[in-house]
Amino acid sequence: MPAAQRRPKPSPATLASSAAAKVDAAVHYRIEAADVSAHLFRVTLTIAEPQAQQTVSLPVWIPGSYLVREFARHLQGLQAQQGRQTPELRQLDKCTWQIEARPGKSLVLSYQVYAFDNSVRACWLDAHRGFFNGTGLCLRVHGQEDAPHALQLVNPSGAQQAWSAATALHPVQVDAKGFGLYRADDYDTLADSPVELGDFWSGEFTAGGVPHRFVVAGAARASFDGAKLIADTQRICEAQMRFWHPDGAAPPHDRYVFMLNAVDDGYGGLEHRHSTALICARRDLPRQGETRSPEGYTTLLGLISHEYFHTWNVKRLRPAELARYDYTQENYTRLLWFFEGFTSYYDDILLRRAGLLDDAGYLRLLNKTINQVAQAPGQRVQSVAQSSFDAWVKYYRQDENTANATISYYTKGALVALCFDLTLRREGKGSLDDAMRTLWKRCAAGPMTEEDFAIVLAEQAGRAFTAEFAAWVHGTADLPLADLLGAHGVDIAADPSQPAQRLGMRVAENGGSVQVKVVLRGGAVERAGMAAGDEWLGLETADGEAWRIGKLDDLAMYLGAQRRATALVARDKRLMKLALELPETDTTARLVIKDAGKVTAWLAEPAKPVASKAKRHK
């Protein structure tokens, strides 16, 4: 066709408007990998019926990760267009803009987002992989949050043409690789549906009649055993469906996508209603030919179990304060001990019920949790309810004093769940499993309060748990672990502590010196005057010998039975001699099975089979 007769290439705005019409969406986003080398996504946002003064904003946080992350700092080049007019655009605050639009005519906004945060919480784009959460990429259109939203994923060009796309959003018109048009019922659904882009590995299975997809980016494909990952994940999903729906009722989700990013060193996950984003160390993936599961793979399975349990516990059953998210500021709740802590309790138990751990393996993981809590001085300072409320400024902003001032609502919350569970079992009043299922029904799989949980426990046990809530949830006293575990076939033995714990410190050892990272409250090195950031170079013994130390294990060789020494420490280039006195004894807990039958009775759960079918591709 002669140049004069060629039709002009449609603009992104025209394409977006056409796509929005196909899905009947009031708000439409067109997402392009604009420049993988510069790590830039291009977003074209079309608002079919804008307000006269249309306000848009980018969230400051992402639900499930309780920290103000200021996603708007990565947004650039925001422009507005309405037909041939360029309406006035004003920035109102750090993440909010207002456009002087004409009602009745579609408004088009275009902008770019810098994406170089290789976590589960934000956005990433390079030549090998793309990933984004709607909270970091998609401006929220005020006044239209509850209207249908459309998301159009544009197939990248060049070297990225081989990429595929994976998301739990409902497809409207997509190609075989997953690019094309998707629909979300509202902004919350869009924000809750991450997208994975790249030449990733993909496998599928069903559990309880629900189709599941598992995509893995970054795996070493020559050794990666995808079939094992699929089979083990399937068993986890089946076990959790049996837990929540022992009567065989349908689960609350009709689809699910696992998105795992394997990196050199990393760990974490973020839950969503129909998917989860995960990150793990590449070495922790299952490998072909392995006959035993290494510890790292068990940790990965625990992460998968944890995030999948959130499908019920926090994404549906959730704190009343989070019934509707406020994306502009912190959303406070005192219930993270329940939603994260109880999930942490069940993630490993459900590995046991899925046949992926034995009783001894489960108790080793529980043992680690018990010691983590016992070795944190912050447990005497902060309750798990306070820890939940302060997550925004303490748990997610950790520093050298965190262990002294706070307690994790994950780890201690898991032990609180253990105490409620074993108390109910010891009194012959069922188990925490029953309480969780009753709570699910009582709250109609929706918002709940601490009072709801207290009422369920009281009705189930025939007594109030007022004292337990005061001591375990709102107090800082020791939990009755020895008593409750002893009643269920497990003793707590005492073993000598490792040198760092005995001294009351956390360190990094580089062979030439000991770098002090944390000084624990009330410990020997705090009494000596050491501080975080110090470099421990050597020591002088009571009999006059002087030694250079490169690791704490050296102390036993140089000191023998002596308990007093002089530590040579460097701080800000200043050398100091500090008088150090080692404690006589310090111990850590070790769980010992004394009655295997009681342990199995606690950890096992009769379950009805869930129909499943697995398949693998690519």
Side-chain angles (χ1 to χ4, degrees), residues 155-163:
N155 198 342
S157 59
Q160 286 71 46
Q161 283 184 331
W163 282 12

Side-chain angles (χ1 to χ4, degrees), residues 45-226:
L45 165 58
T46 302
I47 307 169
E49 297 288 341
Q51 299 172 354
Q53 290 185 317
Q54 181 62 63
T55 303
V56 297
S57 65
L58 202 63
V60 302
W61 71 292
I62 180 169
S65 184
Y66 304 98
L67 177 69
V68 172
R69 298 187 180 276
E70 310 291 19
F71 295 121
R73 74 189 192 275
H74 297 308
L75 188 150
Q76 62 187 52
L78 178 61
Q79 297 179 340
Q81 194 73 29
Q82 197 168 28
R84 298 191 179 190
Q85 303 297 315
T86 302
E88 181 185 357
L89 187 154
R90 295 191 305 276
Q91 185 166 2
L92 304 182
D93 60 29
K94 62 184 179 181
C95 62
T96 309
W97 294 262
Q98 188 175 81
I99 304 97
E100 297 292 339
R102 287 180 297 158
K105 188 174 182 62
S106 66
L107 171 67
V108 179
L109 304 180
S110 61
Y111 56 94
Q112 295 176 325
V113 172
Y114 176 71
F116 204 59
D117 182 337
N118 199 17
S119 74
V120 297
R121 301 174 295 265
C123 305
W124 172 269
L125 181 65
D126 69 1
H128 303 286
R129 173 180 177 261
F131 173 83
F132 66 85
N133 287 286
T135 47
L137 205 65
C138 299
L139 285 168
R140 178 169 62 96
V141 180
H142 292 210
Q144 302 198 40
E145 293 92 340
D146 295 329
H149 285 52
L151 182 75
Q152 184 181 6
L153 298 177
V154 178
N155 198 342
S157 59
Q160 286 71 46
Q161 283 184 331
W163 282 12
S164 296
T167 180
L169 286 169
H170 281 294
V172 175
Q173 187 176 2
V174 301
D175 62 21
K177 296 191 298 180
F179 290 99
L181 192 61
Y182 292 86
R183 182 184 188 277
D185 290 339
D186 47 39
Y187 183 81
D188 283 345
T189 302
L190 179 73
D192 191 49
S193 303
V195 175
E196 178 75 29
L197 305 169
D199 185 20
F200 46 71
W201 180 95
S202 179
E204 298 175 357
F205 65 91
T206 63
V210 176
H212 292 65
R213 185 182 186 189
F214 206 128
V215 301
V216 182
R221 298 196 184 188
S223 62
F224 172 52
D225 190 346

Side-chain angles (χ1 to χ4, degrees), residues 534-535 537 568-577:
D534 287 353
E535 183 181 11
L537 302 171
L568 180 62
V569 173
R571 181 185 303 165
D572 192 28
K573 302 299 183 181
R574 184 191 299 273
L575 295 178
M576 301 180 296
K577 289 186 175 183

Side-chain angles (χ1 to χ4, degrees), residues 31 44 79 85 109 169 191 209 252 410 416 447-448 452 459 472 499 505 515 538 546 591 600:
I31 312 296
T44 304
Q79 297 179 340
Q85 303 297 315
L109 304 180
L169 286 169
Y410 284 89
V416 170
M448 65 159 276
D452 288 315
E459 291 176 348
W472 303 347
M505 63 194 312
Q515 304 292 325
L591 300 186
T600 299

Side-chain angles (χ1 to χ4, degrees), residues 470-517:
W472 303 347
V473 175
H474 298 282
T476 59
D478 287 337
L479 298 173
L481 298 176
D483 181 40
L484 290 171
L485 286 168
H488 292 83
V490 179
D491 280 342
I492 300 182
D495 283 343
S497 294
Q498 295 297 312
Q501 186 60 33
R502 185 184 178 196
L503 291 164
M505 63 194 312
R506 295 172 185 170
V507 302
E509 299 172 335
N510 59 22
S513 62
V514 175
Q515 304 292 325
V516 181
K517 298 298 184 181

